[in-house]
Amino acid sequence: MMSDVKFAMRLIIHPFDGFYDMKYEKKGKIKVSIAIMFLVALAMIFEHQVTAFLFNPDKNVPVDVLSKFRNVAIIALLWTISNWSVTTLMDGEGNMRDILMVIGYAMVPYIIVRVPTAILTNFMSLSEEAYIDFLFNLGLCWSAILVFIGTMVVHQYSFMKTFFTVILTIAAMAIIIFICMVFFDLIWQIIGFLTTIYKEIMLRL
C-alpha cells in the first residue's frame, strides 16, 4: 500500500515520468485507480458535510450519497469510452485500461487539496472567500492538467494533438449523452404506449 501511495504522490508531482512509468513500466494498478475514484466520491461527501455554511449555503441539504458515487463513475466511464473511441482513430497507443488509470490517478490532487480546504473554511471569514475559491479550483485545475499530460504520454501525442484530442473527447462525451437521452426517452415513450394499450384492453374485457 505504501508503494502505491508513494507512486501516486510521485506521479502528481512528476506527471511525465509518472505516467510513463505507469504505461511502460507497469507501475500503476487499475485497482488503485478505482480506489482513488471511490475516495473522490467520499471526498465530495466529506466536503459537503464539513465546509462551513458561509461557503456552502446547501450545507443543511441532505447529501445524496449514491449520486456522488454514480456521478464519479459516469464521468470516468464516459471519458474512458470517448477518449478511447477518438484515439483509436488517431493512432493512439493507449488502451481503455490506460485511459481509466489516467483518470483515477489524476484525481489525487482533488482529494489532497479540497479535503483540507473544506476543513479550513471553518476557521475563515467570508471576506477570505477568494482564497477558498482559489484552493477549491486549484484541485480541479491540477487534476485537469494531469489528465491532459496523462493523455499525451499514454498515447504518445504532441501537445497540439493532445489538445485537439481532448476537445474531440469532450464532443464525443456530449454526443454519447445526447444519444443516451434520446434512447431512454424513446424507451419511456414505448413503455407509455404499451401501458396505454394494456389499459385499453383491460377496460374492454
Side-chain angles (χ1 to χ4, degrees), residues 14-28:
H14 304 286
F16 286 98
D17 292 337
F19 284 117
Y20 181 90
D21 289 343
M22 185 193 77
K23 167 72 175 175
Y24 298 102
E25 301 296 331
K26 307 301 180 183
K27 290 188 176 181

Side-chain angles (χ1 to χ4, degrees), residues 158-196:
S158 64
F159 178 87
M160 288 306 300
K161 191 171 184 179
T162 304
F163 177 79
F164 286 117
T165 298
V166 170
I167 298 299
L168 291 174
T169 298
I170 295 172
M173 291 173 68
I175 292 171
I176 291 173
I177 292 172
F178 175 76
I179 292 174
C180 289
M181 290 176 63
V182 171
F183 175 76
F184 285 113
D185 181 64
L186 179 62
I187 292 297
W188 281 114
Q189 289 186 29
I190 293 174
I191 292 174
F193 176 71
L194 294 176
T195 302
T196 301

Side-chain angles (χ1 to χ4, degrees), residues 113-114 117 120 124 130-140:
V113 172
R114 296 187 63 129
T117 303
L120 188 62
M124 301 185 74
Y131 301 107
I132 297 298
D133 289 340
F134 171 77
L135 291 174
F136 276 156
N137 293 326
L138 176 63
L140 289 175

